[in-house]
Amino acid sequence: MDKVVKDACQHTERVADYAFDIMPSEERLPFEAHLASCSLCREELKELRAAWQDLPQLAELAEPPAGLKEEVMSGIFGIEAKPNLPRSRSIWFYVMSAAVIIAIVAGTFWNLRITEGRQFAAEEALTETASIAQLVSLEPSEPADSKAYGIACVLKKGNSSQLVVYVFGASSNQGTDAYQVWLLRNGERSNAGTFKVGEKGIGVLTYAMEQVRSFDAIGITLEPDGNGQSPRGPKKYGSTEPIQWD
Amino acid sequence: MLNATDPELIRLVQLRSRDALEALYDRYVKLVYSFALKTIRDESLSKEIVQQVFTRIWTSSHAFDPTKGQFTSWLLTVTRNIAIDVLRKERRLEAQRPTANEALDRYPAPEEESPEQSLLKAFEQEQVRSAYRRLTEAQQKLLDLFYWQGYTLTEIAEMTDEPIGTLKSRLHQSLKTLRRLMQAEGEG
C-alpha cells in the first residue's frame, strides 16, 4: 500500500542515478526501500528503464564473421588437440601402447594408490604376476576428436582386479576441469574416479575392483571439476563392447 | 530447442546443456555482435566480446532472474558491461603507445542492409532512430559518450567542461524525451 500520493516526489531526480547505475552503492538499498513505497518514483524508473533498454536498437545489425561460432564454442568447451600428434590408429598401436602401460602399471601394481584413501588388496599377492584379463578400445564420442582414442584394460592378480583406463590425444584440462570415468552396470552408472590430461594429451586412471566381474560399458566425460557424483559434462569416450572377464 | 523460450534455454544451460547454449548463440549472436561493434568499432575486438559474453552465459547463467525482466535486457547489459571494459582497457593501452592510433575514434563504415532483418524489427529500429534524431545535438553527444563509449559522467564533465549536475539532468531528460517520442510514434 502506498503512502499518500503526492504530485511530485523530492527523490524523483535520483531515480535517474539509480536507473543508470551511477548511484553510489551505499545509497542503493535505502533508495530501493523508498521505491517500494513511492509509486511516482517507480513509474519514473519504469519509463527510464524502458528508454534505456531501447538504446541497443540504435546499433546497426551486423553479420558476425564466418567461423565465429566454432571459435566461441571451442573456447568454452575445450580446445582442439594439437595438430602434430601421431595419426596412426592401427590396432597394433593400441596393443603396443597397452603393453607399455601394463608393464609400467604391473610393476608398481600393488604399491600404487589410485585415489585418496582407496588402497589395494592384500600385499600377499606380490608374489603373483598380474595378467591382462580383458582389453577394449574406447572410441571418441565427438568426431572433432578423431585423433583421440583410449583403452580400457582389466588386470587380474589373484582374486583382485584392476581397471586401467588410458586415453591418448585428449584435450588437456584447463583450470579445475577433469575427465571422469563412469562404469555402467545393470543400468546404473558409478564413478570410477577422475584424472587430468596435460599438454601431451595422455591420461591414465586405475581403479581397483573387488568383486565385480563385468560391466556393460565405460564412459569418460569432461567435467567442470572432480567433485561430481553423476555426469554433468559431455561424453568424450565410450567403450564399444561390454567388458567381461573371469 | 527451436521452440524453447529464452528462460527455458537458460534453465537448460544451468543444467549444463551445450545444445541450449548453442541455441541461445544462434538466436542472439547477431544482436550481441552488432552491439559490440557499435561500442568498440573493431571487428576482432567485437569477436572477443562475443566470446566473453557467451562464456559468461555458460558460467553465470544463474545470474539471470526471469522474474526481473527479459532475457534480452540481461544479455545486453552483460554485453555492454563487457564491451565497455574492453573499450576502456583498449583506451588505456592506446594512451601508452607512442604513436596515436585513431582506430577507436573512427566511425564504422555504413553497414550493409541485412536481408534477414524482419520488417517489424526494421520498423522498431526506425522508431528508436527517428526519436533519437529528434534529440538535441548536446543530448545525442552525451548519450553517445555515456552509453556507447562508456565514459563516466565525471570523465565527460572534464571533456566538455560542464558541471556533472548539468550532464545528469541532460541525460535524464534525453531518456525521458526518447521514451515520450517512442510512445507517441507507437500510437501514431
Side-chain angles (χ1 to χ4, degrees), chain A residues 17 20 44 57 59 62 69, chain B residues 26 34 125 168 172 175 179:
Chain A
D17 293 2
F20 310 148
E44 180 77 359
Q57 293 188 55
K69 185 173 183 182
Chain B
D26 294 334
S34 306
Q125 263 198 311
K168 267 197 204 178
H172 189 163
L175 282 147
R179 181 73 183 147

Side-chain angles (χ1 to χ4, degrees), chain B:
Chain B
M1 285 294 164
L2 285 175
N3 293 326
T5 64
D6 292 341
E8 281 167 7
L9 286 177
I10 274 287
R11 182 80 192 114
L12 289 170
V13 166
Q14 284 166 359
L15 297 171
R16 287 1 236 144
S17 163
R18 175 175 172 165
D19 286 343
L21 183 73
E22 294 204 13
L24 282 171
Y25 180 95
D26 294 334
R27 215 174 261 192
Y28 292 118
V29 64
K30 203 157 170 181
L31 189 63
V32 172
Y33 181 76
S34 306
F35 190 101
L37 197 60
K38 184 161 169 77
T39 303
I40 198 100
R41 297 163 184 170
D42 177 280
E43 184 185 288
S44 109
L45 287 172
S46 298
K47 284 166 65 172
E48 173 60 33
I49 290 167
V50 171
Q51 173 80 64
Q52 288 190 36
V53 168
F54 284 95
T55 304
R56 178 82 63 87
I57 295 176
W58 180 248
T59 58
S60 306
S61 48
H62 53 268
F64 169 62
D65 183 350
T67 64
K68 291 237 166 89
Q70 299 257 357
F71 175 72
T72 43
S73 304
W74 179 73
L75 178 65
L76 287 167
T77 304
V78 169
T79 305
R80 181 165 176 268
N81 291 342
I82 289 173
I84 287 178
D85 278 348
V86 171
L87 181 58
R88 294 179 74 89
K89 189 177 109 181
E90 279 303 303
R91 274 196 203 123
R92 280 198 297 275
L93 293 173
E94 291 293 322
Q96 288 161 19
R97 283 184 202 136
T99 337
N101 182 340
E102 281 153 26
L104 290 170
D105 296 324
R106 262 206 317 265
Y107 276 79
E111 301 291 346
E112 281 158 23
E113 278 275 302
S114 161
E116 291 122 23
Q117 245 172 294
S118 74
L119 203 58
L120 182 61
K121 200 154 185 107
F123 175 68
E124 280 173 4
Q125 263 198 311
E126 190 44 42
Q127 274 193 305
V128 182
R129 293 210 194 133
S130 77
Y132 179 80
R133 284 193 289 267
R134 289 167 64 181
L135 296 175
T136 69
E137 205 180 298
Q139 286 174 329
Q140 289 185 25
K141 176 125 203 259
L142 177 58
L143 263 182
D144 186 55
L145 289 173
F146 183 75
Y147 187 83
W148 294 104
Q149 297 196 46
Y151 288 105
T152 63
L153 285 181
T154 313
E155 288 168 336
I156 300 173
E158 270 170 62
M159 280 160 60
T160 61
D161 203 22
E162 285 181 285
I164 292 194
T166 307
L167 295 175
K168 267 197 204 178
S169 307
R170 187 179 299 152
L171 188 62
H172 189 163
Q173 193 53 52
S174 328
L175 282 147
K176 290 196 72 173
T177 305
L178 265 181
R179 181 73 183 147
R180 208 188 61 235
L181 289 169
M182 289 283 291
Q183 287 179 310
E185 292 200 30
E187 288 153 22

Side-chain angles (χ1 to χ4, degrees), chain A residues 63-139:
Chain A
E63 197 63 48
L68 182 59
K69 185 173 183 182
E70 285 73 33
E71 280 181 47
V72 170
M73 292 304 153
S74 69
I76 297 172
F77 294 106
I79 307 156
E80 298 288 334
K82 296 198 171 67
N84 56 353
L85 283 172
R87 290 176 175 278
S88 165
R89 291 179 64 200
S90 74
I91 188 65
W92 294 112
F93 195 94
Y94 281 98
V95 171
M96 282 173 52
S97 309
V100 167
I101 286 292
I102 287 155
I104 295 168
V105 172
T108 54
F109 189 58
W110 298 114
N111 296 321
L112 202 66
R113 242 176 221 284
I114 348 168
T115 54
E116 303 84 353
R118 193 183 285 145
Q119 277 183 300
F120 279 52
E123 267 80 51
E124 76 264 11
L126 272 167
T127 52
E128 298 179 35
T129 44
S131 61
I132 303 172
Q134 170 69 297
L135 180 79
V136 299
S137 69
L138 302 173
E139 299 270 293

Side-chain angles (χ1 to χ4, degrees), chain A residues 47 58 65 100 154 164 168 228:
Chain A
E47 294 293 296
L58 292 167
V100 167
V154 179
V164 183
F168 189 86

